[in-house]
Amino acid sequence: MNYQRPELRDRLASEYVLGTLHGQARARFEKLRRQDALLDAAVLAWESRLMPLAGSVNSLAPSPELFTRIETRLGFRGKPEKQGWFAWLLKPAVGWVAAGLFVGVATTRLVDTIIPAPQTAQVAQLPASYVGVLSDPQGKAGLLVSSLRHGRTVDIKQLQPVIPPAGQQAVLWGLPKNGSAPIAVGTLPKTPTGSFTLPATSEVLFAEVGQLGVTYEPLGALPTQPSQPWAFIGHCGKFWM
Amino acid sequence: MAESVDQLLARVALGDQAAFRALYAASAGRLLGVAMRLIGDKARAEDALQESFVAIWNQAGKYAAHRAQAMTWMTAIVRNKAIDSLRATPKEMPLTQTNDDGEESSHDVADHNPGPLQSLLERCADERLRHCLGHIEESPRQALLMAFYDGLTHQELAERLATPLGTIKAWVRRGLARLQTCLQGAEA
């Protein structure tokens, strides 16, 4: 079968979502779907169309032990939470970079004092980077931003969901220390962790930047100045001695 | 204020176990109802729900990328797990079966009273979907609803509705195409 024909792809996607494909056809379709983004998109569109039908089915209370079974299956029981240390570390979000740098310096000095030099070298391994922790308007930690000092990639980790309204994108800005207009750096990836490429090296872009901010802007080319209020903003620090 | 299912799933995508617990509390009853409707056996429906929540935890990051409605995304996962279970062990005997001696025996046609399916459609909260399905002729509509709510294949629909397989395939195909045209017209 020629799966490149749009009408065939759409028909197969609709029947897959409805559930009428039999065993082999269903398995074959699932394999194809994993390799084909257009087929996957057709499935998602049909799921949006048909799944509201399921809303009229009567609810049924699960057995009390079912969630315990799920947690056991996922290895949650008896193990620390996936992001436990991270949540703990980030509670006092505002000013965290400063605190982190302070702790880094203090720890290194303490280690210098009590541990002989050869081991100290193994402790201070973090490469020179620009680091930012951005908070939402309520002061809650929102994003971690980091980039190697001479690299051209920015790594992002969401600490809370970053969801631009429909038709908009989340744009990262550098705010120069001298108070001049913010500079658009790039569009954030949609995934909880991800990265994007910079138009120049970090050193060029961030050396004179004191803060980083994110605004939600209309999709399309990067704007020359923010048109919306800050969704996230925070200090940008140089993570080297 | 309680967080919406969308907000909870977005936090699950970041590896938040507390949000996962809250998401389960907010949605497991509805999702188990969906699995139970398809499978018809609570223990097996719970197995399918367990597999679904394992997948929800593991794939929540992928969900965040395509931004479907959380309940739509989770319902689709549950239906897929339930259909897999149903295909592995059908809930009812087929209309005819052949035993080890090659003898063919037949079973009564399963009850397919349209009443309950029609009432499920009438309770559907999505007005556009209800309207568009309502405009499809009765037989194709019946086939679509039986496929969706009972998880039947073309062959099983043909047996239940005592209708040739080719006719069933044409009903399903035409029904889905009309539904799409109607829904897209409503979107325009």
Side-chain angles (χ1 to χ4, degrees):
Chain A
M1 244 188 283
N2 180 2
Y3 290 102
Q4 299 309 312
R5 279 171 45 211
E7 66 278 11
L8 178 63
R9 309 158 75 93
D10 199 60
R11 183 162 69 74
L12 283 171
S14 69
E15 298 226 7
Y16 170 74
V17 173
L18 183 65
T20 45
L21 293 187
H22 64 84
Q24 279 184 337
R26 186 174 162 78
R28 201 162 52 236
F29 182 88
E30 284 178 339
K31 192 175 166 200
L32 279 170
R33 180 195 173 183
R34 281 194 289 274
Q35 303 158 350
D36 186 336
L38 286 174
L39 206 53
D40 189 52
V43 169
L44 296 178
W46 273 102
E47 285 176 352
S48 296
R49 289 181 194 121
L50 294 180
M51 288 309 137
L53 280 174
S56 50
V57 172
N58 289 333
S59 294
L60 179 65
S63 307
E65 72 279 6
L66 184 61
F67 191 66
T68 308
R69 272 166 52 193
I70 293 168
E71 285 193 309
T72 306
R73 195 43 218 289
L74 287 169
F76 293 174
R77 300 217 148 228
K79 289 184 182 174
E81 297 215 348
K82 208 168 162 185
Q83 64 164 29
W85 70 271
F86 222 72
W88 170 79
L89 196 60
L90 288 162
K91 268 179 186 161
V94 180
W96 181 81
V97 170
L101 288 170
F102 171 76
V103 170
V105 172
T107 308
T108 310
R109 298 234 166 113
L110 187 65
V111 167
D112 279 344
T113 314
I114 59 175
I115 300 177
Q119 292 184 32
T120 311
Q122 291 166 21
V123 174
Q125 290 292 327
L126 278 174
S129 306
Y130 286 92
V131 178
V133 178
L134 280 61
S135 307
D136 66 16
Q138 288 75 43
K140 196 176 153 206
L143 281 172
L144 275 186
V145 180
S146 67
S147 181
L148 291 177
R149 184 178 180 184
H150 299 292
R152 295 188 71 135
T153 302
V154 171
D155 294 318
I156 304 283
K157 175 166 177 151
Q158 296 182 10
L159 304 172
Q160 60 170 285
V162 178
I163 304 179
Q168 296 188 21
Q169 57 186 339
V171 174
L172 181 68
W173 302 86
L175 286 71
K177 289 173 196 164
N178 65 10
S180 57
I183 303 152
V185 177
T187 301
L188 297 189
K190 289 178 177 173
T191 45
T193 58
S195 56
F196 64 88
T197 305
L198 290 169
T201 66
S202 267
E203 183 75 353
V204 171
L205 287 168
F206 298 133
E208 300 306 320
V209 160
Q211 283 188 294
L212 296 172
V214 170
T215 58
Y216 296 137
E217 303 288 346
L219 286 173
L222 288 179
T224 51
Q225 57 182 13
S227 69
Q228 301 296 322
W230 298 112
F232 299 95
I233 192 162
H235 294 283
C236 174
K238 295 176 177 179
F239 210 102
W240 64 86
M241 300 307 146
Chain B
M1 195 177 73
E3 282 183 282
S4 72
V5 171
D6 288 311
Q7 289 169 322
L8 288 171
L9 185 56
R11 283 212 281 130
V12 169
L14 302 178
D16 184 334
Q17 289 181 20
F20 185 65
R21 278 191 288 277
L23 180 69
Y24 178 87
S27 64
R30 273 179 69 183
L31 294 173
L32 183 60
V34 172
M36 182 67 181
R37 168 81 211 182
L38 287 161
I39 298 175
D41 175 279
K42 192 176 180 194
R44 282 179 59 202
E46 288 197 335
D47 286 345
L49 191 69
Q50 174 180 323
E51 291 311 306
S52 300
F53 270 93
V54 169
I56 287 166
W57 173 262
N58 288 329
Q59 296 172 24
K62 185 182 162 202
Y63 148 81
H66 68 61
R67 311 275 189 228
Q69 290 270 321
M71 207 59 202
T72 295
W73 184 73
M74 294 196 295
T75 304
I77 288 177
V78 170
R79 277 195 88 244
N80 280 335
K81 298 286 181 198
I83 288 171
D84 288 343
S85 167
L86 200 55
R87 296 288 189 268
T89 317
K91 68 180 162 185
E92 284 181 68
M93 300 284 273
L95 194 63
T96 61
Q97 65 170 19
T98 308
N99 67 17
D100 292 342
D101 297 324
E103 291 169 348
E104 194 171 89
S105 56
S106 62
H107 300 271
D108 291 336
V109 175
D111 177 23
H112 62 270
N113 175 7
L117 286 176
Q118 192 58 36
S119 72
L120 280 171
L121 175 58
E122 281 159 13
R123 278 160 52 195
C124 173
D126 186 328
E127 194 181 338
R128 273 188 324 141
L129 182 58
R130 217 171 51 232
H131 164 83
C132 289
L133 273 165
H135 278 69
I136 296 172
E137 300 102 311
E138 189 179 342
S139 296
R141 181 173 69 240
Q142 177 77 355
L144 290 185
L145 293 178
M146 285 177 79
F148 186 86
Y149 286 116
D150 297 334
L152 302 184
T153 61
H154 289 132
Q155 186 64 43
E156 289 164 334
L157 284 169
E159 289 162 2
R160 293 280 187 94
L161 295 171
T163 301
L165 182 59
T167 308
I168 291 290
K169 286 185 176 176
W171 281 353
V172 170
R173 185 191 297 196
R174 203 167 59 222
L176 286 168
R178 290 204 174 159
L179 184 63
Q180 185 176 18
T181 306
C182 176
L183 288 171
Q184 283 173 344
E187 282 162 14

